[in-house]
Amino acid sequence: ENFGEVPGFIDYDATWQVGDRFSVLSSGLYDVWGTGQKITRIGVQRRRPGLSSCYLGIDRLDGPIDSTYLNFGLTYRTSEKWGLGFSNSYDLSEGYNIGQKATISRIGESLIFTLGASRNESKDNWGVSLSVEPVFMYDSVKKSDGILDLGRM
């Protein structure tokens, strides 16, 4: 109930498991007030649990920001203790590369250390990131996320 008014935001998140390793994904967020931002995302993901994950998708933005992006992401667990990641975004509307990010992760007994480097060509900017995550956060329910099981990107 919104006191007789139109809802402000509508969002959804859908996953169609086509097989054990292939998924079709879609999500959206819509601001229905006037010229609010509307975001629609659709993509496909191929997973090999515990080894690799690959994602290819398109984001469509309508509203104050009006653009279409092509996104690609790849993660690969090279061994019991190491994992690699790479992602790239390309602006289909303007015809230029937005940027890339590459990461390497060390998976220890109690902590996961991730070192990343990124390049944002649209802003002519480089970046470096470091994250430290405790492994206990990846309980049996959450193991399908992140580098431990290379879940959804």
Side-chain angles (χ1 to χ4, degrees):
E1 172 65 38
N2 197 28
F3 306 105
E5 298 291 326
V6 176
F9 292 103
I10 299 172
D11 69 342
Y12 75 93
D13 187 13
T15 302
W16 177 29
Q17 297 293 121
V18 179
D20 290 343
R21 298 180 177 181
F22 188 78
S23 302
V24 177
L25 312 166
S26 181
S27 63
L29 176 64
Y30 306 98
D31 182 354
V32 298
W33 291 90
T35 60
Q37 190 68 50
K38 295 162 184 64
I39 303 169
T40 305
R41 177 176 288 159
I42 187 164
V44 293
Q45 182 178 30
R46 168 87 159 80
R47 287 187 60 210
R48 293 184 64 200
L51 184 61
S52 66
S53 179
C54 183
Y55 172 81
L56 181 65
I58 292 180
D59 294 358
R60 176 68 191 142
L61 285 72
D62 292 306
I65 300 172
D66 189 26
S67 196
T68 303
Y69 300 108
L70 178 66
N71 298 303
F72 171 77
L74 177 67
T75 55
Y76 184 75
R77 188 148 180 193
T78 58
S79 69
E80 184 80 17
K81 297 185 181 222
W82 292 95
L84 300 172
F86 175 78
S87 64
N88 189 58
S89 291
Y90 186 83
D91 189 331
L92 296 172
S93 300
E94 301 292 325
Y96 66 89
N97 190 22
I98 296 172
Q100 304 83 25
K101 182 173 185 177
T103 60
I104 184 167
S105 297
R106 171 64 165 91
I107 305 157
E109 184 178 329
S110 57
L111 295 172
I112 301 171
F113 296 91
T114 302
L115 179 64
S118 61
R119 168 81 172 131
N120 185 335
E121 291 186 30
S122 66
K123 296 180 180 177
D124 193 28
N125 188 9
W126 288 88
V128 176
S129 63
L130 174 67
S131 68
V132 180
E133 300 176 67
V135 173
F136 73 83
M137 292 179 64
Y138 294 93
D139 59 14
S140 61
V141 175
K142 293 179 84 175
K143 278 192 179 174
S144 62
D145 293 336
I147 195 70
L148 288 181
D149 192 45
L150 298 167
R152 204 170 146 174
M153 287 182 234

